[in-house]
Amino acid sequence: MERPKTLPPDPRTEFAVIDPARYSSKSLFLSSLNTELRVRAPAQREVLLFVHGYNMTTSDAILQVGQFVEDSGFEGVPVLFTWASAGRTSRYVYDLNSALVARPLLIDASELLSKSIATKYHIFAHSMGSFLTMEAIVDVAQKNQFNRTGRLQNVVLASPDIDIDLFRSQMGQINTTFDRFFVLLSKDDSALRAARQIAGGVPRVGAADAEELSTLGVNAIDLSKVQDSRTGSHSKFAGSPEVVQLIGRALNNAPSYGSRRQTALEEVIGDLPVRVVTARN
């Protein structure tokens, strides 16, 4: 996407957020969300809650979600949860702390979505946003409130920047029968290689072994052999045309939670150079 190099942006040739609507209350936001949902057929009244990652400004995150929805063909309503990333590669620790600060706010946002008329919703988190998402899930699971409405269909963690030992602990604390956790990983992820060095050599979940992850209760999707990503190895979910369309088809055709059908992501892999290892507990 062509971003403006100088301000103000030229909307004829550059991508920019130029006319945002602001809501003075949660009820007004919820009303607007329900309006968007009502114009869709009942089967498409779904929400995709997107949680962005490290080194991402709000405007960049909005454009990333917009491009992802356009490319994937997601038919529901996208909702972005944005948190206070510094938007600089040198501010890793700052972003990590900001993600923790945002944890109760993500829980509040999820509660708000549960009050909408959406028939289903999905959580899609990228990079450090996966760390934030898992911490929020642990909080609500310990209060026996995780997916209490049964409308959450999938939790997709794309290139999750989470310490593998911490992730093992998080999955153990959730203690739920919910079996729709997906991890999109890639062994060649250069950003997670750098994060591993910062973390003292501890592997990151987004570059871990698929077999090991499956034993923790997640469905691991190994994208290591996907080489057509235009956004680099850390964002293959958005940069590979085939992968982004795979995700879109899976979200649009997700079976209702509790059904025993094969997981939708497995059903639409086709001839992609992708390896899937399903959860084993």
Side-chain angles (χ1 to χ4, degrees):
M1 294 187 295
E2 288 294 328
R3 295 302 311 277
K5 297 179 175 60
T6 59
L7 296 178
D10 183 349
R12 297 170 300 177
T13 59
E14 300 166 330
F15 286 90
V17 180
I18 59 173
D19 189 22
R22 299 180 184 275
Y23 302 96
S24 58
S25 68
K26 292 181 180 180
S27 60
L28 288 175
F29 173 81
L30 185 60
S31 175
S32 179
L33 173 60
N34 283 335
T35 298
E36 287 294 324
L37 290 166
R38 286 191 184 98
V39 301
R40 289 163 168 77
Q44 297 172 356
R45 288 175 184 168
E46 304 183 22
V47 168
L48 176 67
L49 177 60
F50 190 98
V51 185
H52 69 75
Y54 152 71
N55 186 27
M56 182 71 65
T57 64
T58 297
S59 59
D60 282 340
I62 291 171
L63 293 175
Q64 184 183 53
V65 174
Q67 182 179 28
F68 175 75
V69 170
E70 175 69 19
D71 292 347
S72 68
F74 178 65
E75 297 168 344
V77 180
V79 175
L80 169 67
F81 179 84
T82 181
W83 49 277
S85 166
R88 299 179 185 176
T89 55
S90 61
R91 303 293 294 277
Y92 183 87
V93 175
Y94 176 94
D95 275 18
L96 190 64
N97 289 328
S98 291
L100 286 172
V101 170
R103 178 172 50 192
L105 300 176
L106 178 56
I107 295 172
D108 286 347
S110 299
E111 285 290 323
L112 185 62
L113 294 182
S114 71
K115 297 176 182 177
S116 75
I117 64 171
T119 56
K120 301 177 182 177
Y121 62 99
H122 316 273
I123 299 174
F124 192 103
H126 179 228
S127 186
M128 196 177 286
S130 299
F131 165 70
L132 164 57
T133 297
M134 288 300 297
E135 285 293 287
I137 289 175
V138 167
D139 272 13
V140 296
Q142 290 180 333
K143 299 173 184 176
N144 295 318
Q145 295 180 341
F146 176 60
N147 197 25
R148 66 180 185 273
T149 66
R151 287 187 286 167
L152 176 63
Q153 304 303 305
N154 297 289
V155 176
V156 183
L157 308 178
S159 309
D161 186 2
I162 308 175
D163 179 310
I164 186 65
D165 295 326
L166 172 61
F167 188 66
R168 184 178 292 106
S169 173
Q170 289 170 330
M171 291 301 296
Q173 292 178 75
I174 292 172
N175 189 26
T176 176
T177 58
F178 185 80
D179 60 357
R180 301 280 178 78
F181 284 95
F182 294 89
V183 170
L184 307 181
L185 66 97
S186 185
K187 295 290 186 67
D188 64 344
D189 192 319
S190 57
L192 293 184
R193 189 179 306 121
R196 177 174 180 169
Q197 292 178 340
I198 295 173
V202 179
R204 318 315 286 170
V205 171
D209 179 72
E211 294 284 352
E212 179 182 4
L213 290 177
S214 72
T215 65
L216 303 181
V218 301
N219 302 286
I221 302 176
D222 190 343
L223 306 178
S224 298
K225 293 184 179 180
V226 173
Q227 300 296 328
D228 63 345
S229 175
R230 294 166 296 181
T231 54
S233 56
H234 191 51
S235 299
K236 290 184 179 181
F237 78 92
S240 167
E242 291 183 318
V243 172
V244 72
Q245 290 166 21
L246 155 73
I247 296 170
R249 291 195 301 272
L251 294 175
N252 288 331
N253 296 287
S256 297
Y257 172 67
S259 71
R260 293 301 177 185
R261 283 179 53 197
Q262 187 181 25
T263 54
L265 281 170
E266 293 177 74
E267 294 172 351
V268 294
I269 292 296
D271 296 326
L272 283 175
V274 171
R275 177 168 172 256
V276 178
V277 182
T278 57
R280 287 192 283 172
N281 70 343

